[in-house]
Amino acid sequence: MSSFKDQRISRRDFIRRALSTGGAVAGSVALPGMLMPRRAPAVVKASRPMLPYGVGSGDVVGDRAMIWSRSDRPARMMVEYATTKSFRDARRVVGPAALADTDFTARVDLSG
């Protein structure tokens, strides 16, 4: 019986065998994932940003008002307002982004 030391192979054969073995292992791991159909998760929950401190208003004079709020994450401020109680003439103003550098706060100066 020959010992392990007697079983020498050339560097070229070693690299060839190592690459073929690695390819077989990689193929056995990659192929099942590639062949199996991928499915979306059963429940996808996307939540809207929250306003933990509510909405503030100030500097209300005549036909102007300042509206501000703070979000719990980066978000775009959108203000919907009306000049009647029925809210039939509602208007929407797309305001600035509430980002980390403003501590997730944003404000809109409404006029008219």
Side-chain angles (χ1 to χ4, degrees):
M1 186 171 201
S2 65
S3 69
F4 183 72
K5 292 181 182 179
D6 294 337
Q7 297 178 1
R8 295 185 181 185
I9 60 172
S10 70
R11 185 179 302 167
R12 181 174 292 171
D13 285 339
F14 173 78
I15 292 172
R16 185 177 299 134
R17 288 180 189 180
L19 290 175
S20 66
T21 304
V25 171
S28 67
V29 172
L31 282 177
M34 295 168 71
L35 298 175
M36 296 291 294
R38 296 185 183 222
R39 296 182 185 166
V43 176
V44 177
K45 185 177 180 181
S47 62
R48 292 184 177 199
M50 301 297 290
L51 305 175
Y53 302 102
V55 177
S57 63
D59 299 334
V60 180
V61 290
D63 65 345
R64 293 187 71 174
M66 181 69 69
I67 308 294
W68 70 89
S69 189
R70 181 174 183 223
S71 177
D72 64 341
R73 66 189 88 167
R76 171 75 59 187
M77 182 178 207
M78 298 171 92
V79 177
E80 197 169 24
Y81 71 99
T83 58
T84 62
K85 289 183 183 182
S86 65
F87 225 75
R88 287 190 185 194
D89 63 339
R91 298 179 198 167
R92 180 179 290 190
V93 175
V94 177
L99 302 173
D101 60 334
T102 62
D103 200 24
F104 304 118
T105 60
R107 66 180 185 198
V108 171
D109 187 6
L110 298 175
S111 62

